[in-house]
Amino acid sequence: MREIRWYYPENLKQLPDLLKREGVIPHGGGTGILRGSLNHIEGLIDLGNLQLRYVRYRNGKIEVGAGTTYADLIEHLSGTDPDHILVKALKAAASTPLRNRITVGGSAAFFPVWSDLMGPLLALDAEVTLTGEKGGSYSLSDYTKNGELRKMSLITSVQWKNKSWTSFYHRESRTKVDYPVFSISILLKVRKDTIEDIKIIIVGTARRFTQCLQIEESLKSLTLDQARIEGIGSKLDVQFTGRRNFSAEYLKHCVGIQLERGLKAILRS
Amino acid sequence: MAEYIHVGKSVTKIDSLGLAAGMEKFTDDFPTEDTLHCAILYSPHAHADIMDLDTKAALEMEGVVDVLHFKNVSRVLHTTAGQGYPEPSPYDTVLFDRKVRFIGDRIALVAAESREIAVEALKKISVEYKVLEPLFDIEKAMNPSAPRIHGDEEHVEIPVAYRPEVNLAAEVEIAFGDLEEGFSEADFTEEHTYTMQAASHCAIEPHAALAFFDARGRLVIITTTQVPFHVRRIVSRVLDIPLHSIRVIKPRIGGGFGGKQEVILEPLVALVAWRNKRASRIVLSRREVFVSSRTRHAMRIRLKTGAREDGSITALEMDALMNAGAYGTHALTVLSNTGSKVLPLFNKIDHLTFTGKSVYTNLPIGGAYRGYGATQGYFAFNQQIDMIARRAGQDLLEYCKRWHIQEGETSDVFRALGEGKKGVSQTIKSCRLSECIDRGAAAIDWYEKRGKQLKSGNDRVKGMGLAIAMQGSGIPQVDMASASMKMNDDGSFNLLIGATDIGTGSDTILAQIAAEVLCIPMEKIIVLSSDTDTTPFDTGAYASSTTYISGSAVEKCARNIKARIITAASQILGLEEEDLSLDMEKVTAPKSGQQVTYEQIALSTLYSRDQLQIQAQASYVSQESPPPFIAQFAEVDVDEKTGRIYVVKFISAVDCGQPINPVLVEGQVEGAVVNGISYALWEDYIYNSSGKMLNPRFWDYKIYTALDLPEMKTIVVGSFEETHPFGAKSVAEIAINGPAPAIANAVYDAVGVRMFDTPFTPEKVWRKMRS
Amino acid sequence: MEAVFRINGKEKTFSFDSDATLLAVLRDSGYTEIKEGCREGACGACVVLLDGLLINSCQVFAASAAGKEIITVRGLGDVHSPHPVQSAFVDSGAVQCGYCTPGMVLAAYSLLQKNPDPDDSEIKRALDGNLCRCTGYVKIVEAVRLAAGRMQGNG
Ligand SMILES: Cc1cc2nc3c(=O)[nH]c(=O)nc-3n(C[C@H](O)[C@H](O)[C@H](O)COP(=O)(O)OP(=O)(O)OC[C@H]3O[C@@H](n4cnc5c(N)ncnc54)[C@H](O)[C@@H]3O)c2cc1C
Ligand code: FES
Ligand code: FES
């Protein structure tokens, strides 16, 4: 039993004050909070009344409120772009009842190694908008690296440029309903048979995630016929730590195979 | 075959609507007043002596009422195995000991006003340990210089080999013929070692128990058990509470699979209640279920066979080393079953030995688990016959059909190997295994795909595998079941049975049998089961016994009732009994056309003439244990580059005699198959070097979900077992035996590597393919 | 703390600890049709509908559900007037021990609300949060198919 204070703010202006309090943190879906120890938590800020559950289109961007759940986002994007990488990724995340609960904001802040959200968002060059001490917009990639940004601030939305990409998503897991040991997100833009842009993010590596810059560079501006995929996997420079049922060596081998398969599939389509 | 009105019909389970509506009650759903909530302190060391233990701080906490531990609980050696008396398992367990034998062994119990307080108070108990060398490896544990896990007081109540001085919880040995001669006749031999890992039953309902006093001061225990009568006996003995003061009730049970054939929590809640004269309750967390309840026994089997060029087996030597874990519950009988349920299947091997040892280690405790040792034995056996048939250039299906035991045949193994004593010899009276093989093969297009290594996208190669198996139906000359019935005013009947429905549908099946004999609609049978105060004795739900043994008891009981109804009818109608027969809810005299309804009979006997309660009871012990048979086929795709196995299709064709309720039969098979597949591919106890289980969570111990299912089909191949009144045999366990070997054989068919140890994770397959 | 939930159509005030899960609060208040299998969000025995959405009640703080609408399996129907999903589970033989059944029924109900005519893969996906160790899921998938057919047939 732990006495936790609950706060139910109704507008964003109340947040900075609340966030300054010792041991008081935001509560999105609560699935990450409940997993850990509650020992250091004095208070929880329920984000439910802040109208942060939305997906909207603004200035050529898709903006997703922090309180949007995985299920909300899947449902929304399936309507407009059923092949969207986030639809593929989030559909397989966790389980149906958990997807109804897990929020985009909580997941971006928590960023577990098994995240199905972060690979696609990083590949999309998403930004986060914060409120509180560090109010403003930052690239998601900076946010993940800079612990300072998290202090006394919370994510109100995540947004990315609304461009159309061809996408591939693979998650490697034991059974189908499982944390992925790694995931591969690939986004591709082709113009007149030439690779104009490509993004490859692997989540679950020793450094949590890895962007495959070299491979991206080596493929850019090649025509589809020129692109040689064979052998890319074995040259891939990523490190893993061993996980339950999977050694580091196997994961490295496996990610190479799946990356080649992904690239072949995406270039074919 | 007779036309039945209920038998062979897929009657809906009588409790299913109440369950689907959330109205039926499971153990933890029963409210109790003024309850003490219990929490258990577990050992952090795999092997240690407890030098001292201090509970003062815990007792001082507000809300803490009692703390139990070795200093204040008497040391009564017993086994937690819910088996008949005298149990064949060693008496090597006490409620709280001065020594701990695995990480998860219990040290103390706190009873408090709330569960939260009890859990908090656990942290305040200080324990001083002297850490001892732990033993995890079975070979090392058997080494004479290894430390001892159990002492000299431990013993078995029956005369069987038990040598705790070398950490042996049980030993088995049988031999026929002359192995050396047998191997000398062979043209080729195969010798391989197979291992299977520990596994959790994963009944979705965790173990729970509660105890309270009724208004007459008797102790009532409601518990998640497969064996209510054994619970009453063991609790009474361990706590020295008179048996007549204890009532055990089994409510709805959320799955058992063997995991609840153990008396673990009942003595604890009973003791807390007894000492404090208050209700007490405990519900295990999932972690506790994984670590501190029971597991499938990890086993290593060395199997050597000699065969002639034509594939006929001249000699077979099977040696099983079983990891019993810290206590020897079911250590002897699971081990015996590895031989006794497997070896009779190929009954024409003249030279044969089976040896086995059950070894104590400092790991979680093995116990009964669906399949009960046969699963481990068949994993080895089925791969071995796949190899022999291949080497002999024989068609596997024809090979199996030629050599499996047939109707009218017997096996020496039946006689030699029983449950803690010699077995019971029997002749097979029903066996449709060959038909199972044919029908299963047709359903999976065996010949179109076997040996073809068909390729599909993303480097996948197809393979086909077969496994065959038999099991038993109850323990012959040991298991007893009984039933009693009485007639009500409207011609309905109460059926009281000790048999334990743990989700299997036995309440329904037994009602079908009674309704069949008495020629009445299902709703006229009111079933009450598993309450030691009101229902007659039954050994419980294990050893695939309920339909066969309890079913026979119910049939006998219903026949006794029928005789009384006919007697009453003959008096009412003034006709000879021989001239009367049963029709739907009435007795008729076909010759004269006279009739009297059950309701009239009931009213007459209860209120008018020659008054008496029409009632009867019957008990049944079986003289034999007729095996059901199964042929199981796996179609798998193997990813040649990653080693991942995709089970595409899985077909089971089973001969369980006359299915009493075909949908329930299919349900038993499907449940066992899915459990078997996820065990073969993923389920595992992962330990660190100190013997601590690292994955005691559903998120980390992967069992299959609906999304993981292959295409599945169950073919019920009917037969008629003449030793059962309706021709039935068992079906609850058998189907878990085939998945691992069928998949292993299919993987070999696809990519040519032999998987000798489960689980077949992608990495293991990949490493094999690489080397 | 105290909060009002509207549960199975009735408003009720509950008092509970601030760190209590919705599962603990509801079971302690007698809603024992909600089962507990793991307390880790992995088995689905504890699911309820919270404002119409299927959630694991063991993964939700009761405090975060204040003022919301909760439906349990008993809110769908009872033995006297079962919901078609409940009847379909019975008729398909999809109930063995029945411990997973309240959760399975709610998961199926929740799917059919959104998608009245799901195919098998959609059904399996919708049940991905619910473990069953008894049935092997085959008859559960059949039950959902049957329920879908019946519910459409009934308009
Ligand atoms: C059993 C299980 C399986 C799972 N499997 C997967 C999976 O396969 N794939 C996957 O992607 N995810 C999975 N998850 C989800 C993941 O592990 C986290 O639980 C989830 O991402 C957290 O989201 P939430 O909204 O519940 O956050 P919360 O639990 O509410 O919060 C998590 C952390 O983020 C903080 N936080 C919350 N909201 C904000 C905000 N707006 N701004 C800043 N900080 C905030 C909190 O203070 C807390 O520290 C699984 C979860 C569970 C329980
Ligand atoms: S108890 Fe909530 S998911 Fe298992
Ligand atoms: S019916 Fe027993 S867990 Fe599903």
Side-chain angles (χ1 to χ4, degrees), chain B residues 447-517:
Chain B
Y447 289 107
E448 281 86 272
K449 301 175 200 155
R450 166 84 166 181
K452 304 276 194 313
Q453 283 92 34
L454 302 173
K455 300 236 164 39
S456 56
N458 273 351
D459 313 299
R460 292 190 196 179
V461 193
K462 194 173 288 303
M464 307 293 285
L466 165 71
I468 56 176
M470 53 176 260
Q471 196 87 27
S473 304
I475 310 175
Q477 300 178 7
V478 173
D479 279 351
M480 194 272 275
S482 56
S484 75
M485 290 182 83
K486 66 181 175 67
M487 189 177 206
N488 299 315
D489 306 32
D490 64 345
S492 66
F493 298 85
N494 293 99
L495 170 63
L496 309 183
I497 39 180
T500 313
D501 191 335
I502 54 170
T504 48
S506 64
D507 284 353
T508 306
I509 285 166
L510 298 175
Q512 281 178 265
I513 289 176
E516 184 71 48
V517 175

Side-chain angles (χ1 to χ4, degrees), chain A residues 202 214-215 228-239 249-261 263-264, chain B residues 641 766 770:
Chain A
I202 300 169
Q214 271 182 343
I215 301 175
R228 288 278 156 269
I229 305 304
E230 223 70 53
I232 280 188
S234 50
K235 277 181 262 150
L236 185 62
D237 182 26
V238 289
Q239 295 309 318
E249 182 198 8
Y250 177 76
L251 287 173
K252 193 167 154 61
H253 162 79
C254 194
V255 83
I257 301 286
Q258 302 297 6
L259 178 63
E260 284 185 18
R261 286 178 182 166
L263 287 169
K264 279 182 198 156
Chain B
K641 291 202 171 143
W766 172 70
R770 259 200 338 178

Side-chain angles (χ1 to χ4, degrees), chain A residues 15-251:
Chain A
L15 287 173
D17 269 352
L18 290 176
L19 289 164
K20 276 187 199 130
R21 301 186 192 189
E22 186 65 28
V24 174
I25 60 166
H27 171 279
T31 61
I33 297 171
L34 265 159
R35 217 174 157 271
S37 151
L38 303 180
N39 281 343
H40 301 288
I41 298 179
E42 299 295 330
L44 288 170
I45 311 168
D46 188 300
L47 307 182
N49 299 330
L50 291 172
Q51 266 84 48
L52 292 176
R53 216 171 139 183
Y54 61 81
V55 181
R56 61 186 174 220
Y57 297 81
R58 270 222 300 231
N59 311 328
K61 287 184 179 170
I62 302 187
E63 183 185 319
V64 179
T68 308
T69 64
Y70 278 11
D72 293 337
L73 192 52
I74 296 167
E75 190 177 323
H76 187 95
L77 293 175
S78 312
T80 52
D81 185 1
D83 279 331
H84 198 282
I85 187 162
L86 277 164
V87 175
K88 294 175 190 158
L90 297 185
K91 251 190 177 163
S95 68
T96 299
L98 284 167
R99 290 191 296 274
N100 282 333
R101 197 66 192 167
I102 298 169
T103 67
V104 167
S107 302
F110 185 39
F111 194 0
V113 280
W114 56 83
S115 177
D116 286 294
L117 175 74
M118 295 303 268
L121 284 185
L122 288 162
L124 287 163
D125 276 332
E127 300 171 338
V128 290
T129 301
L130 305 185
T131 268
E133 189 89 343
K134 301 280 180 335
S137 289
Y138 304 87
S139 86
L140 179 64
S141 150
D142 286 347
Y143 178 78
T144 62
K145 285 169 199 150
N146 185 348
E148 283 303 301
L149 289 179
R150 258 170 269 185
K151 289 206 183 120
M152 290 183 243
S153 307
L154 66 73
I155 302 174
T156 53
S157 69
V158 176
Q159 55 275 339
W160 64 87
K161 284 211 188 76
N162 186 12
K163 292 197 280 189
S164 107
W165 297 91
T166 311
S167 69
F168 170 87
Y169 186 75
H170 172 82
R171 73 200 293 277
E172 188 78 19
S173 61
R174 290 169 293 186
T175 53
K176 293 248 171 66
V177 183
D178 187 13
Y179 303 117
V181 268
F182 66 77
S183 66
I184 303 173
S185 303
I186 309 178
L187 292 177
L188 173 77
K189 196 163 301 228
V190 176
R191 233 169 104 145
K192 297 203 194 104
D193 275 353
T194 303
I195 300 175
E196 191 178 84
D197 201 358
I198 183 161
K199 296 269 184 192
I200 307 170
I201 306 278
I202 300 169
V203 171
T205 57
R207 292 170 18 213
R208 188 167 305 220
F209 76 94
T210 302
Q211 181 168 6
C212 303
L213 285 167
Q214 271 182 343
I215 301 175
E216 289 174 5
E217 284 314 313
S218 73
L219 290 171
K220 267 183 214 163
S221 56
L222 296 183
T223 66
L224 293 177
D225 300 335
Q226 289 167 330
R228 288 278 156 269
I229 305 304
E230 223 70 53
I232 280 188
S234 50
K235 277 181 262 150
L236 185 62
D237 182 26
V238 289
Q239 295 309 318
F240 283 93
T241 41
R243 306 270 280 279
R244 223 121 43 231
N245 301 110
F246 302 99
S247 69
E249 182 198 8
Y250 177 76
L251 287 173

Side-chain angles (χ1 to χ4, degrees), chain B residues 526-541:
Chain B
I526 306 151
V527 183
L528 176 69
S529 64
S530 316
D531 174 340
T532 58
D533 263 15
T534 55
T535 65
F537 183 86
D538 190 292
T539 38

Side-chain angles (χ1 to χ4, degrees), chain B residues 658-722:
Chain B
Q658 161 74 51
I660 305 292
N661 186 320
V663 163
L664 293 185
V665 165
E666 288 169 13
Q668 285 298 311
V669 173
E670 288 155 0
V673 164
V674 172
N675 184 339
I677 297 175
S678 73
Y679 175 57
L681 299 186
W682 289 111
E683 295 182 31
D684 201 359
Y685 272 59
I686 302 173
Y687 301 108
N688 69 8
S689 58
S690 323
K692 178 178 172 172
M693 185 190 185
L694 296 173
N695 59 332
R697 289 168 296 275
F698 277 147
W699 273 103
D700 230 357
Y701 177 102
K702 299 316 295 181
I703 73 173
Y704 262 29
T705 65
L707 270 183
D708 299 292
L709 291 190
E711 186 185 331
M712 284 190 11
K713 187 170 176 176
T714 304
I715 302 168
V716 182
V717 176
S719 72
F720 191 87
E721 170 57 39
E722 64 184 56

